Amino acid sequence: MDNRAGEMQVFVRVVEAGSFSEAARQLMMTPSTVSKLIVRIEERLGVRLMERSTRRLSLTDEGRLYYERSGALLAELDDVERELAQGAGSARGTLRVNASVAFGTHGIVPLLPDFWAAHPNVTVDLSLSDEIVDLYLDRTDIAFRVGELASSTLVARKIGSARRKIVGSPSYLDRHGTPETFEDLAHHNCLSFNFRRAAPVWPMREGGRVVDRVVHGSLIANNGETVREMAVRGVGLARLADFHVDPDIAAGRLVEVLAGSQGSGLPGDAEDVHALYLGGQRVPRRVRAFLDFMVPRLQAFMKRDP
């Protein structure tokens, strides 16, 4: 009988335990049995999955792929059995969601109470970070991402498009003046980001072409919500998505500047927002329920008037 699911469980446990002996203890097996199972998997696949040493185990590239896919398949198997045992008529189980701090705070979080009213048996494990996560490695069901998508096997549902705006508080502009040209930015405190894909430049339109202007400031943060808060408090200028700052602009807490030098028509300054998830023959009911509930409401959130 084919027992690949059992072999996958042993492999995943070895990786997560970090040793054959610890995995064997957790599985109530002998270390030699665990080692033989791993060798059997490698022989069947014709590749080496692990590099063994007396101190630690390390995965090969093939082993990393096998670990990622095995974890996803085992999680899906658990979902199938849970739904059948508890009734497949409603969504249930733990749903792991990742989003940027700003989009999660202002877009997703306000909708969660209504989602739970409709789907009370779903536990949402929500992580907010402006860093990009790997859905396989982080066991994430759905990730909401702002910006260009890399080519992948993930399924994407578009939420909307966000335009960047340069904003400052009335108090900051009173003290330092309102920039009239992009050259003026050299004399302003421009707040920016420190995550890997961020660059210390703001694109501007100059004479029909786009120029990346290097900016400097007293804050380099890892999320947009911190940058927005500092801008509201009068620390400096910020360049943030319209969905993030439009409520502050409408309330008078922030003022948009240099709108004629950068805007929705500027290449690279308007970024699409997508919901990404693992596709395949069977998408878990909880994933479908969350997407079907959130996507139309988040699309309305992106299109709303300030």
Side-chain angles (χ1 to χ4, degrees):
M1 181 180 292
D2 190 342
N3 190 31
R4 281 180 291 179
E7 292 178 347
M8 286 179 178
Q9 287 178 321
V10 173
F11 181 80
V12 168
R13 188 62 63 89
V14 169
V15 173
E16 295 179 348
S19 71
F20 289 131
S21 58
E22 178 58 22
R25 187 190 67 78
Q26 295 177 12
L27 294 167
M28 292 184 289
M29 301 169 67
T30 64
S32 63
T33 299
V34 171
S35 179
K36 289 176 182 177
L37 280 172
I38 301 303
V39 170
R40 188 165 71 193
I41 297 171
E42 291 178 324
E43 290 177 345
R44 186 180 69 248
L45 297 176
V47 296
R48 192 168 184 83
L49 300 176
M50 292 180 170
E51 300 293 348
R52 289 88 159 166
S53 71
T54 56
R55 294 186 177 182
R56 66 185 182 91
L57 299 174
S58 60
L59 293 177
T60 63
D61 290 342
E62 293 81 4
R64 189 172 297 106
L65 176 62
Y66 190 75
Y67 170 70
E68 294 170 5
R69 298 299 174 86
S70 295
L73 288 170
L74 291 171
E76 185 171 344
L77 181 60
D78 288 342
D79 291 338
V80 172
E81 294 187 348
R82 188 181 299 111
E83 286 188 9
L84 290 176
Q86 299 178 344
S90 62
R92 61 185 65 243
T94 299
L95 179 74
R96 295 174 178 84
V97 180
N98 177 271
S100 69
V101 178
F103 192 78
T105 300
H106 297 277
I108 296 173
V109 169
L111 296 173
L112 286 176
D114 288 340
F115 171 77
W116 284 318
H119 302 283
N121 296 316
V122 176
T123 298
V124 178
D125 183 345
L126 178 63
S127 297
L128 301 183
S129 171
D130 284 9
E131 290 286 1
I132 294 178
V133 302
D134 185 307
L135 271 70
Y136 288 109
L137 287 177
D138 292 277
R139 305 284 182 87
T140 299
D141 295 301
I142 305 170
F144 292 88
R145 291 186 181 163
V146 180
E148 184 178 355
L149 297 180
S151 177
S152 74
T153 58
L154 300 175
V155 180
R157 290 179 63 175
K158 185 175 179 179
I159 304 298
S161 184
R163 180 174 75 84
R164 300 288 175 176
K165 294 182 177 181
I166 298 176
V167 294
S169 72
S171 64
Y172 175 86
L173 297 176
D174 284 344
R175 295 195 312 273
H176 301 280
T178 299
E180 301 294 339
T181 67
F182 40 73
E183 285 87 354
D184 293 341
L185 292 177
H187 308 293
H188 283 270
N189 192 28
C190 297
L191 315 178
S192 56
F193 300 93
N194 62 12
F195 40 82
R196 287 188 297 272
R197 69 184 190 280
V201 296
W202 290 357
M204 297 289 164
R205 187 184 297 110
E206 178 183 3
R209 61 192 182 94
V210 177
V211 177
D212 285 338
R213 289 288 170 178
V214 177
V215 295
H216 303 279
S218 59
L219 176 72
I220 305 174
N222 69 349
N223 69 88
E225 188 64 8
T226 297
V227 172
R228 184 200 68 85
E229 179 68 19
M230 291 299 98
V232 168
R233 292 178 178 271
V235 173
L237 300 178
R239 178 174 169 271
L240 298 166
D242 50 8
F243 70 79
H244 196 183
V245 296
D246 278 349
D248 292 312
I249 292 174
R253 293 185 292 268
L254 291 174
V255 176
E256 183 178 8
V257 300
L258 293 172
S261 299
Q262 54 88 47
S264 59
L266 185 58
D269 215 43
E271 297 182 314
D272 289 338
V273 181
H274 292 88
L276 301 181
Y277 60 99
L278 303 177
Q281 294 295 318
R282 182 183 179 279
V283 177
R285 185 178 296 273
R286 65 184 185 277
V287 173
R288 293 198 306 271
F290 193 82
L291 290 170
D292 290 345
F293 182 90
M294 287 287 176
V295 168
R297 291 166 175 81
L298 289 172
Q299 288 171 338
F301 163 73
M302 295 289 292
K303 294 177 181 177
R304 79 202 189 292
D305 292 330

